[in-house]
Amino acid sequence: MKSFAFSVLFYLIVFGAASQNLVGYTSGEIVAYMKAKKIDMNRENVTNSTFRYLKYSDKYDTETVLFFLNPDSVCRSVRIVYNNSIKSSKIRELDSMYSRTGEKAWKDMQKGKNYIVKLSEDDYSFSVTIEPEK
């Protein structure tokens, strides 16, 4: 029974944590979206004199989401950092959501605008960055 509960929880974390493109959303819209759709994520209070961003993380330390904001509090890019243990399932998820343009790159189109989705790897984690195409 415990393994079944763990499997269900793992499935919800991995597959319910879609890499949402919230570029262009205001900070208030992001907060409302996260409260409604990502109830497993906790907002963290951060102070940074260089960047304005909203930070959310889950209690299992498998996912951290950073919404980088411009001076008008509008999201200009999203970076999601994941634990390496879910990389293969996350790549499958990205393949199902976006059009692949390279080994670690995808393209998203929303409201007539193109966005680049990139995967970057580190020793213990990997990140997915979503930003407008330049």
Side-chain angles (χ1 to χ4, degrees):
M1 185 64 163
K2 286 182 184 181
S3 64
F4 175 76
F6 178 78
S7 297
V8 169
L9 179 62
F10 182 78
Y11 178 83
L12 290 173
I13 290 169
V14 172
F15 295 102
S19 306
Q20 292 297 315
N21 181 351
L22 300 181
V23 174
Y25 283 48
T26 66
S27 60
E29 290 170 326
I30 292 168
V31 170
Y33 175 89
M34 295 300 283
K35 280 183 182 179
K37 305 273 185 183
K38 305 290 262 177
I39 57 175
D40 61 323
M41 302 292 286
N42 300 309
R43 184 173 174 191
E44 297 183 26
N45 292 323
V46 291
T47 305
N48 186 315
S49 60
T50 306
F51 296 105
R52 294 191 63 193
Y53 62 93
L54 299 174
K55 181 178 180 181
Y56 288 84
S57 61
D58 69 355
K59 61 184 175 182
Y60 305 105
D61 286 332
T62 57
E63 178 180 2
T64 300
V65 183
L66 303 168
F67 297 98
F68 292 96
L69 308 173
N70 70 14
D72 296 324
S73 295
V74 175
C75 182
R76 60 180 176 79
S77 67
V78 179
R79 180 173 299 138
I80 310 160
V81 181
Y82 299 100
N83 182 298
N84 267 339
S85 64
I86 63 172
K87 185 168 42 176
S88 60
S89 62
K90 186 53 63 179
I91 289 172
R92 284 192 301 275
E93 181 182 322
L94 293 169
D95 283 339
S96 72
M97 293 175 66
Y98 307 116
S99 301
R100 192 181 275 264
T101 60
E103 184 180 338
K104 298 177 185 177
W106 295 262
K107 186 176 191 175
D108 184 26
M109 185 172 193
Q110 289 189 17
K111 300 176 187 172
K113 295 182 181 179
N114 290 323
Y115 298 89
I116 302 298
V117 180
K118 296 182 288 188
L119 186 141
S120 303
E121 299 177 78
D122 286 326
D123 290 337
Y124 302 105
S125 64
F126 69 99
S127 63
V128 174
T129 303
I130 304 170
E131 57 192 5
E133 187 174 57
K134 296 174 182 166

